[in-house]
């Protein structure tokens, strides 16, 4: 179980690579075949999540995605 949302990691990757690489670079470094990537998105089209999916696919990591839906209360 590895969380990819630690601020210092996000800042370092965004500064040294690009904001859309914040999750992909971590998956490339830490991901192993047999791992599962779980993505949750409000839009389903964020470039950083698209790059994360590509990185996971390249390492034979399964992925599960969830697009949230706004509801009126």
């Amino acid at each position: 179980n590895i969380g990819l949302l630690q601020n210092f990691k996000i800042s370092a990757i965004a500064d040294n690579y690009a904001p859309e690489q914040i999750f992909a670079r971590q998956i490339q470094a830490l991901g192993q075949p047999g791992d599962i990537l779980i993505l949750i998105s409000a839009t389903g089209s964020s470039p950083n999540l698209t790059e994360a999916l590509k990185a996971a696919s390249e390492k034979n990591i399964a992925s599960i995605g969830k697009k949230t839906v706004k509801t009126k209360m």
Side-chain angles (χ1 to χ4, degrees):
N1 182 5
I2 298 174
L4 303 180
L5 288 176
Q6 295 171 328
N7 288 340
F8 69 92
K9 290 179 185 178
I10 290 173
S11 294
I13 294 168
D15 287 346
N16 291 300
Y17 297 97
E20 61 270 9
Q21 293 294 317
I22 59 175
F23 301 124
R25 296 294 296 180
Q26 294 177 78
I27 292 166
Q28 291 165 351
L30 303 172
Q32 300 293 322
D35 288 349
I36 300 171
L37 173 64
I38 301 171
L39 300 169
I40 301 171
S41 173
T43 65
S45 61
S46 299
N48 56 1
L49 299 183
T50 301
E51 293 300 316
L53 281 170
K54 288 179 190 175
S57 177
E58 290 169 0
K59 294 197 81 165
N60 294 318
I61 296 172
S63 59
I64 299 169
K66 171 72 174 158
K67 180 180 172 189
T68 61
V69 178
K70 293 182 181 180
T71 59
K72 294 182 180 182
M73 302 213 67

